[in-house]
């Protein structure tokens, strides 16, 4: 290494080690523009790292089953965002910025930050992640600016992972004890699995002040007429043998259940960034706001689920004969179109997460935007983000998973979280 390069690396390391930080985003004014325009590159690198994470999470053994995957997406995208913003100064930092030398490459910073987060989260996948980094960095001209960029990315990733190391995500979930009163959640057929994310509502949010910040109001009592109307709708449309559900509704129910809903919305963002040839700066903003919203919506959603512990439709319908509601006729053999997820019913995850994603993406791309969404080889088209989100939550009625009461609470929650995040990033 030449003398000048040695000196630069030492200086960069000294400055980064100082750990100077800006306030958390929203806490102050947007930083002043950088004295020089940093080379930001294409947003495709952000897409590729997002795809890398989707691929990693395709292996159910990649991480403990008690860790919600939206956390990983938020960490990845927050690191890339703060790494780029540390150099471009084109917006407020999410958590902090690190000092960056003049001319540092923002694209190199994003690549290094993404790599280091994924290696920290999934050390067993290091070989593939190293290969991805090598491929990404090979497209960036070598020299001090590239080295400075990677130093910035490494510093951001290291500090972010340290700050999130005690966020409660690694805590062992308490054993769930099912209730026996009307409305109490209990494991569902056919295999009656125990709930997994019983403590996720207490995980430290990324942007919200707490998981209960936007906790929805308690749902109507299961003895009420409102609950009976909502449950009877599911009983009719969500049955495995329903004669009123249309073929397209059946197809939609299967479509939205084929892959994790956060994956579907991240893939929608991938397509948007790719088709519009977004810059690196635009791409990190889109993905950071999307995945921070999804992560905090998941925390808030589980806070509500395990606060109210409402039983699932399959339980309510099969126990209708116990006369907890005179407007519900029990059917002990009723079976939903799709197997019920192992957690309480209120609010709906698909509604909350899809509404958060749709609200976020509409903020960048406008409400009316043609979408062709593909999941597991099947493509469905929509005229806007809200249309896609609405079908996502309706699909949970058609699949026998949720009532409209669950869905309305989820929609409200997702909107509130997304609006809060967008106001801070």
């Amino acid at each position: 290494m030449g003398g000048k390069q040695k000196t630069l690396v030492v200086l960069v390391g000294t400055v980064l080690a100082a750990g100077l930080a800006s306030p958390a985003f929203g806490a102050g004014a947007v930083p002043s523009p950088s004295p020089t325009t940093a080379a930001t590159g294409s947003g495709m690198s952000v897409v590729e790292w997002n795809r890398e994470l989707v691929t990693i999470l395709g292996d159910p053994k990649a991480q403990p089953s008690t860790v919600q995957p939206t956390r990983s997406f938020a960490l990845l995208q927050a690191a890339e965002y703060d790494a780029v913003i540390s150099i471009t100064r084109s917006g407020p930092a999410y958590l902090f910025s690190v000092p960056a030398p003049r001319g540092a490459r923002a694209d190199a910073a994003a690549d290094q930050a993404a790599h280091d987060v994924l290696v920290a989260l999934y050390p067993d996948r290091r070989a593939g992640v190293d290969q991805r980094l090598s491929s990404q960095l090979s497209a960036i001209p070598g020299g001090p600016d590239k080295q400075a960029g990677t130093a910035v990315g490494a510093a951001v990733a290291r500090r972010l992972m340290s700050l999130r190391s005690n966020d409660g995500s690694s805590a062992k979930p308490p054993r769930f004890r099912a209730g026996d009163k009307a409305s109490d959640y209990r494991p569902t057929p056919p295999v009656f699995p125990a709930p997994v994310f019983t403590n996720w509502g207490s995980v430290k949010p990324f942007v919200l002040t707490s998981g209960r910040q936007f906790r929805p109001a308690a749902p109507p009592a299961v003895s009420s007429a409102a609950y009976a109307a909502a449950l009877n709708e599911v009983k009719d449309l969500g049955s495995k043998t329903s004669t009123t559900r249309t073929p397209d509704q059946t197809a939609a129910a299967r479509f939205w259940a084929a892959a994790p809903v956060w994956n579907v919305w991240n893939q929608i963002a991938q397509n948007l960034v790719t088709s519009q040839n977004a810059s690196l700066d635009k791409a990190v903003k889109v993905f950071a706001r999307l995945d921070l919203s999804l992560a905090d919506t998941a925390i808030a959603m589980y806070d509500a689920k395990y606060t109210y512990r409402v039983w699932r439709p399959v339980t309510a319908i099969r126990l209708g004969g116990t006369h907890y509601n005179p407007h519900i006729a029990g059917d002990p053999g009723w079976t939903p179109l799709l197997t019920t997820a192992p957690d309480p019913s209120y609010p709906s995850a698909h509604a909350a997460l899809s509404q958060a994603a749709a609200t976020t993406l509409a903020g960048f791309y406008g409400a009316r935007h043609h979408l062709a969404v593909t999941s597991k080889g099947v493509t469905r088209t929509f005229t806007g983000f809200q249309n896609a989100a609405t079908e996502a939550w309706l699909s949970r009625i058609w699949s026998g998973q949720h009532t409209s009461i669950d869905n309305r609470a989820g929609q409200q929650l997702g909107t509130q979280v997304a609006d809060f995040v967008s106001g801070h990033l």
Side-chain angles (χ1 to χ4, degrees), residues 235-246 250 398:
K235 183 181 179 183
D236 183 35
L237 287 171
S239 169
K240 190 171 186 177
T241 57
S242 173
T243 58
T244 55
R245 185 180 58 243
T246 68
T250 300
W398 303 330

Side-chain angles (χ1 to χ4, degrees), residues 265-278:
W265 285 102
N266 269 278
Q267 288 163 345
I268 289 172
Q270 293 170 11
N271 293 337
L272 289 166
V273 168
T274 301
S275 65
Q276 299 202 0
N277 297 313

